[in-house]
Amino acid sequence: MKAAFINQHGEPEALQYGDLPDPVAGPGEVVVDIFSASVNAADWKSRSGGYGQMKFPYVLGRDFSGVVSAVGPSVDDLRSGDEVFAVCETGQEGAYAEKIAIKAAIVAKKPTSLSHVQAAAVALTGLTALSAIEDTLKLKRGETILIQGGAGGVAGFAIQLAKHIGARVITTASAVNHAYVRSLGADEVIDYNVCDFTKVVSNCDAVFDTVGGDVAQRCFAVLKPGGRAAFIASGTQAPQATRGDVTSLRPPVRRARGFLERIAQLVLQEAVRPPEIKLYRLSQAAEAHRVSESRHFRGKLVFQVR
Ligand SMILES: NC(=O)c1ccc[n+]([C@@H]2O[C@H](COP(=O)([O-])OP(=O)(O)OC[C@H]3O[C@@H](n4cnc5c(N)ncnc54)[C@H](OP(=O)(O)O)[C@@H]3O)[C@@H](O)[C@H]2O)c1
């Protein structure tokens, strides 16, 4: 199969495009012929060595959409020909390829109303947003939430989900992305380049931070007493709260078919629509990584694999 992979950690140019052996479905696994795979911020962190050493050649990529082409022993709920989408097991990658072997239990049927490109775009972003907004923050109708980094993939899903729940959504984005985040449902948009959000936002019930660094640290200031904040760009632990009357949380982002089925349900209900998508071929992986690593683009970058 063709794949985009690395033989060493490094800059985007470390990504190579070439042939690797086809995977085989083990017990409980299926092989999926990948049609689309998405680029996540984790991919360039992984490529550059931020997640430690790995065995080379190493295929990056955490989510994808495709068609089941082989079924391993003990799999009785998926068949060859099923259109599916999935997020790889935590700590595993391999979606920048024409084929992947994956545990069947974490694969879900793709909604027919989504193309493979769109399904790949909402897999890990949707899973992360669901884990943060529904399971971790337990956002409720009538509450106010600040979502940091509104134009990004996870935040774009989270804005729509929060609106669907019935919350009021404030978000941060560069001016060029304001119309986009408003189109996703944001009620109030702050241009973080010209305005310190802590000066204009206060009394929030919840914050969802997808930016990290100094932005994450300052999020606690906008919460009301008893407020809660969830962080996905500050490593595996939530940052220490700077106040004693709020809660700092790290969504677990567990892999399970149920989360993907919830994404499909939200799409079918038209509560969530796919983000703006920029397409690449696998042979252009280095270029896609340069854009992802710039951290200033809108929506999702997706590989059209076949
Ligand atoms: N399992 C997990 O825990 C998990 C899963 C998925 C993602 N993540 C993490 O979550 C983070 C977000 O990922 P993502 O893929 O959604 O997006 P991303 O690629 O990290 O972010 C892109 C967006 O960030 C915005 N942005 C950059 N700096 C900003 C700032 N200071 N304030 C507000 N917005 C800012 C940009 O908007 P503008 O162009 O408008 O500036 C751009 O649209 C990443 O760190 C990623 O590693 C974690």
Side-chain angles (χ1 to χ4, degrees):
M1 65 173 183
K2 293 288 187 204
F5 56 89
I6 53 172
N7 271 316
Q8 58 183 41
H9 294 297
E11 298 298 312
E13 294 67 35
L15 279 156
Q16 300 176 27
Y17 176 70
D19 291 296
L20 289 178
D22 284 1
V24 175
E29 291 184 338
V30 289
V31 170
V32 178
D33 284 357
I34 294 178
F35 279 61
S36 298
S38 100
V39 180
N40 290 284
D43 302 351
W44 57 260
K45 297 176 191 175
S46 190
R47 186 208 72 228
S48 56
Y51 296 140
Q53 277 303 324
M54 46 195 51
K55 194 165 162 272
F56 300 119
Y58 188 84
V59 182
L60 298 163
R62 298 184 174 206
D63 58 356
F64 62 88
S65 181
V67 176
V68 174
S69 60
V71 177
S74 312
V75 176
D76 47 23
D77 49 6
L78 289 173
R79 294 170 192 201
S80 287
D82 284 348
E83 292 195 328
V84 295
F85 71 129
V87 177
C88 295
E89 200 75 281
T90 304
Q92 287 183 4
E93 299 178 75
Y96 289 7
E98 289 179 331
K99 288 175 180 286
I100 191 168
I102 183 167
K103 196 163 86 179
I106 58 170
V107 171
K109 298 266 177 71
K110 176 180 82 62
T112 48
S113 57
L114 286 185
S115 66
H116 285 297
V117 166
Q118 292 171 326
V122 295
L124 181 54
T125 54
L127 193 72
T128 309
L130 283 170
S131 179
I133 300 288
E134 290 192 339
D135 293 354
T136 302
L137 290 169
K138 302 188 194 311
L139 189 67
K140 292 187 278 297
R141 169 174 290 278
E143 290 192 319
T144 296
I145 183 169
L146 169 65
I147 297 178
Q148 297 280 14
V154 177
F157 196 106
I159 290 171
Q160 299 182 81
L161 181 58
K163 288 306 297 176
H164 177 64
I165 289 168
R168 180 167 170 269
V169 176
I170 306 169
T171 194
T172 51
S174 300
V176 69
N177 292 325
H178 283 203
Y180 176 66
V181 294
R182 282 196 190 281
S183 78
L184 299 175
D187 297 293
E188 194 180 321
V189 189
I190 296 161
D191 181 351
Y192 68 88
N193 296 297
V194 297
C195 182
D196 175 352
F197 68 91
T198 64
K199 300 281 192 291
V200 291
V201 183
S202 61
N203 230 25
C204 289
D205 299 282
V207 174
F208 179 31
D209 177 50
T210 74
V211 174
D214 168 58
V215 172
Q217 287 301 327
R218 292 187 295 127
C219 283
F220 299 110
V222 306
L223 287 169
K224 61 168 62 159
R228 57 264 186 229
F231 301 88
I232 57 158
S234 303
T236 54
Q237 303 291 321
Q240 178 82 37
T242 53
R243 302 160 46 179
D245 60 349
V246 297
T247 312
S248 180
L249 302 156
R250 205 316 175 179
V253 197
R254 279 188 286 272
R255 277 55 167 162
R257 182 180 288 167
F259 287 113
L260 298 169
E261 289 174 343
R262 175 87 178 114
I263 293 170
Q265 182 191 45
L266 288 164
V267 167
L268 288 174
Q269 289 177 316
E270 297 181 357
V272 171
R273 62 179 166 84
E276 189 169 306
I277 291 168
K278 186 165 168 43
L279 283 178
Y280 293 86
R281 308 302 305 198
L282 274 185
S283 56
Q284 300 172 303
E287 192 182 327
H289 270 224
R290 273 190 286 272
V291 174
S292 178
E293 209 163 344
S294 79
R295 296 210 64 191
H296 293 290
F297 59 96
R298 192 150 63 208
K300 284 290 287 180
L301 313 174
V302 176
F303 291 115
Q304 178 122 45
V305 177
R306 58 175 85 217

